[in-house]
Amino acid sequence: GKNYSDQIKDAWKIVLFNQFHDILPGSSIREVYIDSDIDYKKAYQLANFALGKSLHYLSSQINTSGIKDGKAIVVFNPLSWQRTDVAKVELPEGDYNNYSIFDINGTEIPSQIQKKGILTREIIFIAGNIPSTGYKTFILKKSDSVFSFKESDIFPPQTDSELYIDNEYFKVAVDTKTGLVKNIFDKNLQKELINGSGNKLQLLEDLPSAWDAWNIGLTGKEFPSTLRSVKLIEKGPVKSVLRITRDYLKPGVVKSFPTEDFPNTFFTQDVILYKGIDRIDFKTDVEWWESKTMLKVAFELNVSDTVATYEIPFGTIKRSTTLQAQWDKGKWEVNAQKWADLSNTEFGISLLNKSKYGYDTRNNVMRLSLLRSPIWPDPTADRGYHTFEYALYPHKGKVEESKTVLKGYEFNYPLITYITDSHPGTLPVEKSFVQVTPQNVIITSIKQADENDDALIITMYESKGTDSKAEINLPFTPSKIIETNFLEEDGKNIKVNGEKLSLEIKGKETKLIKLIR
């Protein structure tokens, strides 16, 4: 059969094909999206299969024979720095046992079980200090103790006008009359992050004069939605969640039942805090049946500046928030990769996203574009169910001094978990395969070379704008190291010094190196 790297190449070709300039932005006809949906599922299956086989192979090499009771949970970190983040372990279908998580020394770690699918549940816990491009082993044991949340568990009782959740970093309060986030107090910075309201869904009239799917035609008109409920639905050892539900009925829509107005579009907004994680997560589910309407989410931040910073591939760009200059007037909707940030000299706030790339920032209001509903060339564009996630990450000082770049990656590349049994092996219970210093040098990928199965390509860039000396710990001693480029052409040789590689990298430079075994 084919080897796994061939399967990854097949999946990659499907993804590239679907980056075609009309498939990608949503300006194709309906039939195209039926096809691309099938293609993406295929790419996902191929990539997931290859990943599963790799994790199985690595886990089978780890010496877990010290675990006498329970299963080994190996937590993998695909990023090039040590991190603490949420780990999720899917339990087998129909398994309704209770479980606890322990570290390798047998100390229990707080965990929580939540529903995943119709018949599946997952156990979540905070995995601390997972090594860079590496893994750490935990233990999963059956247990009698069970955590379950009831609304009567809330102490002290919450007030009628607001509900709140908190952890060691933040206290987040939602106004029960509007369903909007009214306060986010940062306990470390001793600062209020919101000036006005946050997590506000805005339904905006969107009437382009022509070319619906290509042009945004916001008229300035906002349609109101109806708040249905605000509830504290979880308050556990790992995670606390406030849930806001609302729906929307377009004014002037004639319904078949004249006495009843049936809403058309439904929203469920979760505001989530995890113990030990210094960002505020938002997860929104939408059942969307609109046309010529745009959905944005707005945060009125307690910080403002004349420019905002946006992440772009291998770097950042600063753009005006005032749009006074002629040069800036057309830039009322701008693109960004994993985050945008608004900072003054004292502190700043980044809005991280997962695959939503349209932002606009006016003075202190930052908005992320979530959905549109053009009717040409596809009259059903984006109708149906959607889930999207975004997060706020506050920090001291300017964005260049913060960990925003790292947080954007962490939000988009969750920790990966794998369950294995007790067995001997040559790998330790915790290991980093590749490390890089300083932290402003980011490794974005490590891949097999296209033309040579015995070579690895490492791509990295400098994220802060300062010339640096990068030190990389390699997974093996290469026979040869060559500077290369995106076409993987050979450049000049770099001196091999065992498993250590030192190189100069300029501010904002992208560098690729080829390691030959």
Side-chain angles (χ1 to χ4, degrees):
K2 300 178 88 169
N3 68 22
Y4 305 126
S5 58
D6 285 342
Q7 287 174 332
I8 292 171
K9 274 187 188 137
D10 289 347
W12 183 232
K13 281 176 184 163
I14 293 170
V15 170
L16 290 179
F17 182 85
N18 282 318
Q19 304 271 312
F20 170 71
H21 74 244
D22 276 316
I23 303 179
L24 185 67
S27 47
S28 288
I29 58 173
R30 175 175 161 77
E31 290 81 347
V32 168
Y33 295 106
I34 293 169
D35 285 351
S36 68
D37 223 27
I38 293 166
D39 286 347
Y40 274 127
K41 280 195 180 79
K42 192 155 70 183
Y44 179 80
Q45 272 178 318
L46 285 166
N48 217 25
F49 182 73
L51 176 66
K53 288 290 182 192
S54 307
L55 298 180
H56 175 76
Y57 174 75
L58 280 171
S59 302
S60 71
Q61 308 291 306
I62 299 170
N63 181 4
T64 54
S65 56
I67 298 172
K68 297 286 177 263
D69 177 23
K71 293 236 183 252
I73 300 278
V74 189
V75 178
F76 291 93
N77 172 16
L79 300 172
S80 61
W81 54 90
Q82 178 180 292
R83 68 195 265 219
T84 293
D85 217 328
V86 185
K88 299 179 177 182
V89 180
E90 191 173 330
L91 298 171
E93 203 168 285
D95 178 349
Y96 287 96
N97 292 302
N98 292 316
Y99 290 96
S100 297
I101 300 274
F102 298 84
D103 69 15
I104 206 72
N105 305 317
T107 310
E108 187 170 356
I109 291 169
S111 62
Q112 210 168 319
I113 289 181
Q114 59 185 24
K115 223 173 143 64
K116 185 170 197 276
I118 295 167
L119 288 169
T120 50
R121 302 182 310 153
E122 58 187 1
I123 185 162
I124 61 168
F125 63 100
I126 303 302
N129 300 329
I130 308 300
S132 136
T133 334
Y135 63 85
K136 186 172 183 174
T137 310
F138 295 84
I139 305 166
L140 175 75
K141 286 186 196 172
K142 279 196 183 151
S143 87
D144 302 328
S145 69
V146 54
F147 162 77
S148 73
F149 165 71
K150 298 182 293 300
E151 284 199 40
S152 57
D153 294 344
I154 308 164
F155 299 111
Q158 308 235 20
T159 64
D160 289 342
S161 63
E162 68 170 46
L163 287 176
Y164 70 85
I165 49 177
D166 68 342
N167 64 5
E168 61 269 57
Y169 295 105
F170 312 108
K171 179 180 170 181
V172 182
V174 169
D175 187 322
T176 53
K177 297 193 179 37
T178 61
L180 303 177
V181 172
K182 67 174 191 181
N183 303 106
I184 301 177
F185 185 71
D186 186 313
K187 297 175 183 180
N188 285 355
L189 297 171
Q190 284 291 303
K191 269 202 181 320
E192 174 55 50
L193 305 180
I194 296 289
N195 178 10
S197 63
N199 204 29
K200 182 183 187 190
L201 290 179
Q202 295 181 313
L203 289 116
L204 304 161
E205 188 175 50
D206 180 14
L207 302 174
S209 54
W211 300 87
D212 262 26
W214 288 261
N215 294 328
I216 294 174
L218 295 181
T219 64
K221 188 170 173 184
E222 189 176 335
F223 303 118
S225 61
T226 307
L227 179 68
R228 292 297 174 198
S229 67
V230 180
K231 280 190 184 131
L232 178 67
I233 61 157
E234 263 182 88
K235 191 174 161 57
V238 180
K239 177 184 185 190
S240 297
V241 184
L242 286 170
R243 175 165 290 172
I244 300 103
T245 57
R246 52 176 82 243
D247 50 49
Y248 168 64
L249 172 72
K250 202 162 202 166
V253 175
V254 180
K255 296 284 171 165
S256 51
F257 296 91
T259 54
E260 281 265 29
D261 279 344
F262 290 111
N264 211 22
T265 284
F266 303 87
F267 304 97
T268 303
Q269 296 176 279
D270 285 355
V271 184
I272 307 162
L273 286 181
Y274 292 99
K275 293 256 155 54
I277 305 290
D278 56 352
R279 56 167 207 251
I280 303 111
D281 285 16
F282 299 88
K283 178 176 178 284
T284 302
D285 292 327
V286 181
E287 193 186 335
W288 180 256
W289 305 107
E290 299 309 317
S291 61
K292 303 241 181 188
T293 309
M294 187 165 189
L295 180 68
K296 283 181 179 273
V297 64
F299 289 91
E300 294 179 283
L301 303 174
N302 194 18
V303 57
S304 60
D305 192 19
T306 54
V307 292
T309 309
Y310 299 87
E311 189 189 44
I312 56 176
F314 303 103
T316 58
I317 191 168
K318 292 202 185 300
R319 297 183 170 112
S320 168
T321 59
T322 59
L323 305 197
Q324 293 303 305
Q326 191 58 41
W327 170 248
D328 293 319
K329 285 207 167 117
K331 298 180 190 171
W332 43 272
E333 174 89 3
V334 298
N335 59 311
Q337 206 164 18
K338 294 182 283 293
W339 54 267
D341 179 272
L342 199 52
S343 299
N344 55 29
T345 47
E346 211 185 322
F347 86 114
I349 302 169
S350 304
L351 176 55
L352 317 175
N353 82 79
K354 278 187 196 179
S355 63
K356 290 285 163 196
Y357 306 112
Y359 282 83
D360 68 81
T361 312
R362 281 304 143 277
N363 304 317
N364 72 319
V365 181
M366 187 176 278
R367 300 195 298 182
L368 182 64
S369 299
L370 301 176
L371 279 175
R372 287 187 69 221
S373 40
I375 56 174
W376 187 79
D378 173 5
T380 64
D382 278 350
R383 302 285 172 97
Y385 291 91
H386 297 267
T387 294
F388 18 78
E389 294 172 67
Y390 42 90
L392 288 180
Y393 170 66
H395 56 82
K396 253 208 207 65
K398 287 271 190 208
V399 68
E400 288 74 17
E401 305 307 313
S402 77
K403 289 195 161 126
T404 292
V405 173
L406 308 183
K407 296 291 171 185
Y409 273 98
E410 288 174 13
F411 191 55
N412 278 269
Y413 294 86
L415 294 170
I416 302 165
T417 58
Y418 194 82
I419 303 179
T420 185
D421 54 7
S422 178
H423 54 252
T426 52
L427 289 176
V429 287
E430 180 178 342
K431 183 177 170 64
S432 164
F433 292 104
V434 179
Q435 294 151 326
V436 60
T437 54
Q439 213 159 36
N440 50 307
V441 179
I442 308 271
I443 291 177
T444 58
S445 68
I446 301 172
K447 68 179 280 286
Q448 215 171 20
D450 279 346
E451 307 294 323
N452 178 356
D453 286 353
D454 280 335
L456 284 184
I457 308 281
I458 300 183
T459 304
M460 68 192 93
Y461 79 102
E462 195 288 319
S463 64
K464 198 168 155 180
T466 49
D467 296 357
S468 302
K469 188 178 165 62
E471 299 269 350
I472 302 174
N473 279 23
L474 302 171
F476 56 87
T477 300
S479 64
K480 204 173 179 189
I481 305 176
I482 307 165
E483 277 198 20
T484 182
N485 57 19
F486 284 110
L487 298 176
E488 302 186 6
E489 297 165 331
D490 290 353
K492 61 176 200 282
N493 280 0
I494 298 173
K495 197 166 148 282
V496 176
N497 180 17
E499 289 181 7
K500 281 240 183 295
L501 165 64
S502 303
L503 46 86
E504 304 287 330
I505 185 164
K506 292 194 168 54
K508 297 282 163 101
E509 184 186 6
T510 302
K511 246 192 179 2
L512 287 90
I513 53 164
K514 189 183 282 187
L515 308 176
I516 297 168
R517 279 193 189 277

